[in-house]
Amino acid sequence: SSSPPPPQHVALFAFPFGTHVAPLHALARALASAAPEAIFSFISTPETFTPLPQTSGNLRLIPFEGGMLDAGSSAGVLDRIGKFLAAAPEKIGAAVKTAKANAGGVPVSCVVSDAFMWMAESTAEEMRVPWIALFSAFTLSILTHIHTDDLRSHFGIEEEAMAAHADEPLDFIPGLAAMRVRDLPEGIIHGGTNTNFSVHLRRMGQRLPRAAAVVLPTLAAFEQDLFVYGKLNLPLLIGPLNLLSPTTPISDKEHCLPWLDSYASSSVAYVAFGTVAFLPPAELAELAHGLEDSGVPFLWSIKKDLRSGLPDGFEERTRLRGKLVSWAPQVPVLSHPAVGVFVSHCGWNSTLESISAGVVMLCKPIFADQRMVARAMEEMLGVGRYFDDVITREGFVTAVDGIMRGIDGKRMRERVKKVREKTVEAMLPGGRLSENFNVLVELVRGR
Ligand code: UDP
């Protein structure tokens, strides 16, 4: 009689910067519960494990070995990313061995990585196992990476290209018709095409077509024209990770949720700019003035060290209807009935959380894929207003007013409910987002 085959062993490699670890971990949790017989080794830098929800059983945390981040915490994030990426191929190889040892000798049978960790493909290839990438940035922004060279040859590069073509549409690339040159992420045609990180992302765009599958967490609204991902072997659009892997309980150390309880339905502006983007100081002050002048109650997630940029006396004057916190439990905050608008930088995680809670957005994108997200929310889905100019207090008051009290806001709220419903539906058994997730589960199970 033959012995049973060893279990499947999935190694997942995180990109330990910005909000990249949480989405991969959410995917890992969803896969681990869908395939309880398989082993999942989640590999990242040790400090990124602290905020992750507890897991048990078949999902293990494996730290990359030391020396990754020795550029020091005072070094700029791009320096630290550069050091990390330079060391990554070797560390990925070492981590595969650690994961195997930790799993009682069961070899890795599938590699899943953040798309930014595309170097994991070489390791997968050496082991002759499939490589699956998670692209957790904005769905359509993957097209700008896959088509970087086409965009460059069409428009040229650097600031001359931007100056000459800023308002032109990207309609010669299927899927990008609603986008303009000015909405492109930095590093595609402008904003430093030769930096280490831009080169890294261009190579990502070249490598992704080799992935067995590319997983894209998204809204049902983006599940239509799949031919736009034609260069990819298997684009798997799945639902927002906050819906796929809900976490409980979420700590609310600064009491945001009880504070929201005392406000009427859809009356509060929730303000947050994610974990890496910062408003320029002048705009931060104008935003504060605008919140004050608007009279709208607000909950603002803003780190203590940024508060020195607020206007003198701002906190005292707005104390009765404004609350500043260093960190909000954003998912339950957005689901709270009192929240009527999300003033956001349009990071993709924040955007998915907002739309899947049925909250409209006032979009103030800062960099990377955020302008494309803002454009998509305004132009494609009609669930947000893209604040395209520099923030002024008057401009902000007008924008907030239009959303909270105007007819535009009413229409946006009707549309966001539909976008949300369609997404929730597509995640039910038989729905397309759900079917795609099932395909992914079978793939990591080796079927
Ligand atoms: N977030 C949060 N509380 C805060 C600020 C942010 O929970 O006070 C979370 C938010 O829910 C989201 C993530 O941080 O999941 C930010 O991710 P996103 O992709 O929007 O932005 P990034 O941090 O990558 O710029």
Side-chain angles (χ1 to χ4, degrees):
S1 68
S2 60
S3 55
Q8 299 294 313
H9 181 181
V10 183
L12 300 105
F13 292 93
F15 177 70
F17 299 93
T19 305
H20 276 258
V21 177
L24 187 70
H25 192 257
L27 182 68
R29 291 196 304 276
L31 290 172
S33 65
E37 78 292 352
I39 299 168
F40 292 82
S41 295
F42 185 85
I43 300 149
S44 186
T45 51
E47 76 281 0
T48 64
F49 292 153
T50 319
L52 296 176
Q54 291 284 328
T55 54
S56 55
N58 60 335
L59 173 56
R60 296 123 188 253
L61 301 180
I62 310 275
F64 278 124
E65 272 153 47
M68 276 292 213
L69 300 177
D70 57 5
S73 55
S74 63
V77 68
L78 279 175
D79 285 349
R80 288 191 287 135
I81 290 175
K83 278 241 169 181
F84 172 82
L85 291 175
E90 197 184 311
K91 299 292 182 185
I92 290 170
V96 163
K97 294 198 179 79
T98 312
K100 179 177 174 186
N102 198 274
V106 176
V108 168
S109 56
C110 177
V111 169
V112 178
S113 82
D114 190 296
F116 285 21
M117 292 290 279
W118 51 259
M119 309 79 80
E121 189 255 349
S122 310
T123 309
E125 197 184 12
E126 275 166 32
M127 298 189 293
R128 310 215 170 277
V129 303
W131 170 53
I132 297 166
L134 169 67
F135 189 76
S136 62
F138 176 42
T139 321
L140 294 177
S141 78
I142 199 170
L143 300 173
T144 70
H145 299 295
I146 294 174
H147 295 286
T148 296
D149 292 347
D150 304 331
L151 286 159
R152 287 182 185 177
S153 58
H154 195 91
F155 294 114
I157 56 161
E158 296 307 343
E159 300 319 315
E160 310 85 72
M162 182 53 87
H165 304 290
D167 291 317
E168 288 174 31
L170 306 180
D171 53 2
F172 67 101
I173 297 191
L176 296 183
M179 304 293 153
R180 303 157 301 180
V181 170
R182 55 191 295 182
D183 302 318
L184 284 170
E186 290 80 3
I188 303 292
I189 69 163
H190 80 296
T193 49
N194 249 328
T195 65
N196 288 337
F197 197 58
S198 301
V199 170
H200 179 73
L201 292 182
R202 178 162 168 263
R203 293 179 69 189
M204 172 185 77
Q206 294 164 344
R207 197 67 74 99
L208 284 172
R210 289 203 229 162
V214 177
V215 180
L216 299 136
T218 197
L219 303 165
F222 295 104
E223 228 282 337
Q224 281 132 23
D225 306 316
L226 285 183
F227 73 93
V228 305
Y229 306 103
K231 283 202 187 185
L232 303 176
N233 283 317
L234 183 59
L236 288 176
L237 280 66
I238 63 167
L241 294 165
N242 54 297
L243 296 182
L244 193 66
S245 298
T247 50
T248 48
I250 290 173
S251 77
D252 183 16
K253 292 197 192 102
E254 295 169 86
H255 314 291
C256 299
L257 300 172
W259 183 84
L260 286 169
D261 285 343
S262 60
Y263 286 94
S265 173
S266 298
S267 67
V268 174
Y270 169 59
V271 186
F273 291 87
T275 60
V276 275
F278 299 104
L279 278 180
E283 283 189 85
L284 181 81
E286 288 295 297
L287 171 62
H289 280 303
L291 281 170
E292 188 173 351
D293 294 352
S294 72
V296 167
F298 60 88
L299 173 65
W300 189 351
S301 170
I302 175 172
K303 292 264 179 284
K304 288 230 160 69
D305 56 351
L306 293 176
R307 295 185 198 170
S308 59
L310 297 174
D312 280 345
F314 171 75
E315 272 191 77
E316 284 77 49
R317 288 196 305 275
T318 57
R319 192 179 296 280
L320 289 178
R321 60 172 175 85
K323 183 175 173 67
L324 306 186
V325 296
S326 306
W327 187 257
Q330 185 164 298
V331 171
V333 160
L334 287 166
S335 301
H336 194 288
V339 173
V341 62
F342 182 12
V343 180
S344 173
H345 72 310
C346 290
W348 189 232
N349 295 292
S350 290
T351 303
L352 289 175
E353 291 160 6
S354 190
I355 305 307
S356 62
V359 175
V360 300
M361 301 178 76
L362 181 46
C363 305
K364 177 59 195 175
I366 297 175
F367 65 77
D369 59 345
Q370 297 156 13
R371 286 176 295 264
M372 290 183 71
V373 173
R375 186 81 176 157
M377 294 306 114
E378 182 174 88
E379 286 283 315
M380 297 176 74
L381 306 188
V383 298
R385 155 89 209 276
Y386 183 174
F387 206 103
D388 210 349
D389 307 315
V390 171
I391 297 185
T392 61
R393 62 198 291 175
E394 297 81 9
F396 185 80
V397 171
T398 310
V400 163
D401 224 57
I403 292 181
M404 299 301 263
R405 299 182 255 263
I407 185 75
D408 278 1
K410 190 164 173 282
R411 291 206 187 103
M412 280 187 217
R413 261 186 286 280
E414 284 161 10
R415 280 191 293 258
V416 80
K417 285 205 184 72
K418 293 212 179 96
V419 174
R420 175 188 181 280
E421 267 165 34
K422 289 234 161 76
T423 298
V424 170
E425 256 170 53
M427 291 179 78
L428 292 173
R432 292 178 69 168
L433 298 174
S434 159
E435 290 300 309
N436 287 342
F437 179 72
N438 293 341
V439 170
L440 178 65
V441 172
E442 293 307 295
L443 198 60
V444 303
R445 278 175 147 164
R447 298 187 184 163

